[in-house]
Amino acid sequence: MGNKCQVLAPEDFVLPLLTRPRLKEKYQQYAFADYVRSHPQLRFCPGPNCNIVVQAKESRAKRVKCTSCKTQFCYKCGSDYHAPTDCETIKKWLTKCADDSETANYISAHTKDCPKCHICIEKNGGCNHMQCYNCKHDFCWMCLGCWKAHGSEYYECSRYKENPNIAHESAHAQAREALKKYLHYYERWENHSKSLKLEEETLAKIRERIQNKFEYQQAQLEAEIENLSWKIERAEMTDRGDLENQMDIVEKRRTTLLTDFLQV
């Protein structure tokens, strides 16, 4: 603790000096956290209120999913998984976005005007192919161009077209051009981020519907099996054709359940 002293005080030296249990516990927590952060093969899960420690054989950028809170992140930097961008680039990008927070707030709106009838449209899905609910015009959410014209050149609307003569313009004009370029790429980055969240919400809804459908099919199968069991117990009094028909119904219910859900 001395100024410019490089000697480390080990735990067996510090702990006897800490007489209050709460202070001793807090010291051990900090010591453990410092150990994890300094260890190249260990990392805390960045999930909210999650204390899970993740271990990896090597510290490199790869997708990790916490077994406790299900948070997915990059093992090397701890940010949201960002492939194919490297950790240093995504760090600079996030810093840039944070510095331009007012600009980010300005362009992060969920709505745009239809390029044909100019009615306000809200994007509520992950796909960039939009259709105006008013005039039925199909267009690209990113560049507002006609969707039919995209074809194989769809990537063009994600590429910024710089002014070839900008180097000869004034410093003010160059600054405005730099801001336009940043806004162009920020809008696309923000759009992909929102699309991912929307797709996750859609996936959750689909899984919920599948679960509800499964429970319904399962209940139907159970009901038919109960009916079949009742008839088998009274086989001597049950018509053979009726029994065979019930067996066929049960088999169809079973096949439907297996076909629809075991392959999901």
Side-chain angles (χ1 to χ4, degrees), residues 107-125:
I107 65 172
S108 62
H110 293 277
T111 61
K112 290 185 179 181
D113 291 343
C114 170
K116 187 174 182 180
C117 70
H118 307 294
I119 196 170
C120 186
I121 297 177
E122 180 180 6
K123 188 173 188 287
N124 57 4

Side-chain angles (χ1 to χ4, degrees), residues 17-36:
L17 303 176
L18 303 177
T19 56
R20 288 182 294 174
R22 187 174 180 182
L23 189 60
K24 182 179 295 186
E25 181 183 0
K26 184 173 290 188
Y27 169 78
Q28 290 177 317
Q29 289 176 351
Y30 284 137
F32 175 71
D34 184 66
Y35 172 76
V36 172

Side-chain angles (χ1 to χ4, degrees), residues 1-262:
M1 297 174 66
N3 185 29
K4 297 182 180 180
C5 181
Q6 301 297 319
V7 177
L8 296 177
E11 284 192 41
D12 56 359
F13 172 79
V14 176
L15 289 177
L17 303 176
L18 303 177
T19 56
R20 288 182 294 174
R22 187 174 180 182
L23 189 60
K24 182 179 295 186
E25 181 183 0
K26 184 173 290 188
Y27 169 78
Q28 290 177 317
Q29 289 176 351
Y30 284 137
F32 175 71
D34 184 66
Y35 172 76
V36 172
R37 293 190 181 98
S38 61
H39 199 293
Q41 296 180 343
L42 300 176
R43 173 174 286 279
F44 281 111
C45 170
N49 302 318
C50 185
N51 297 318
I52 293 295
V53 176
V54 180
Q55 182 180 16
K57 293 182 179 180
E58 53 182 330
S59 178
R60 62 182 180 86
K62 58 181 178 180
R63 188 196 303 272
V64 176
K65 184 175 182 180
C66 177
T67 57
S68 178
C69 68
K70 308 304 179 185
T71 298
Q72 296 190 45
F73 59 96
C74 170
Y75 179 81
K76 187 174 182 180
C77 66
S79 302
D80 291 340
Y81 189 60
H82 46 74
T85 309
D86 60 83
C87 297
E88 189 61 30
T89 301
I90 198 66
K91 180 180 179 181
K92 292 179 180 178
W93 173 251
L94 293 175
T95 302
K96 171 68 175 174
C97 294
D99 292 341
D100 292 324
S101 58
E102 290 303 319
T103 302
N105 290 334
Y106 171 76
I107 65 172
S108 62
H110 293 277
T111 61
K112 290 185 179 181
D113 291 343
C114 170
K116 187 174 182 180
C117 70
H118 307 294
I119 196 170
C120 186
I121 297 177
E122 180 180 6
K123 188 173 188 287
N124 57 4
C127 180
N128 287 324
H129 181 184
M130 304 295 294
Q131 184 181 71
C132 176
Y133 66 89
N134 182 55
C135 67
K136 307 304 179 184
H137 176 59
D138 292 282
F139 63 96
C140 172
W141 175 262
M142 298 305 302
C143 67
L144 300 180
C146 178
W147 186 260
K148 294 180 180 178
H150 270 65
S152 60
E153 305 298 323
Y154 177 70
Y155 69 91
E156 286 292 340
C157 76
S158 294
R159 177 184 297 173
Y160 182 74
K161 297 179 182 179
E162 298 190 47
N163 180 0
N165 300 317
I166 192 61
H168 304 292
E169 300 288 342
S170 65
H172 179 70
Q174 292 183 24
R176 288 181 60 86
E177 180 69 17
L179 178 60
K180 285 172 60 180
K181 183 176 182 179
Y182 164 71
L183 291 175
H184 176 90
Y185 286 112
Y186 181 89
E187 183 179 15
R188 279 143 184 80
W189 175 76
E190 180 75 358
N191 179 67
H192 288 311
S193 178
K194 290 178 179 177
S195 294
L196 179 61
K197 293 179 181 177
L198 289 169
E199 295 298 352
E200 289 176 348
E201 292 175 2
T202 301
L203 178 60
K205 292 178 181 178
I206 291 175
R207 285 177 172 171
E208 182 179 359
R209 291 175 182 174
I210 290 176
Q211 179 64 26
N212 292 336
K213 185 181 176 184
F214 173 80
E215 291 174 353
Y216 170 78
Q217 294 284 6
Q218 187 180 42
Q220 292 293 313
L221 176 58
E222 290 176 353
E224 298 298 349
I225 290 176
E226 286 294 333
N227 194 9
L228 176 61
S229 297
W230 188 87
K231 292 182 177 181
I232 290 176
E233 290 175 359
R234 294 160 179 79
E236 295 180 355
M237 299 178 290
T238 303
D239 180 72
R240 182 181 179 85
D242 188 25
L243 184 60
E244 291 178 348
N245 182 57
Q246 185 62 32
M247 291 174 63
D248 185 55
I249 292 174
V250 170
E251 179 60 23
K252 287 181 179 179
R253 290 285 186 189
R254 187 188 71 85
T255 303
T256 300
L257 191 68
L258 294 176
T259 303
D260 291 349
F261 301 105
L262 292 185

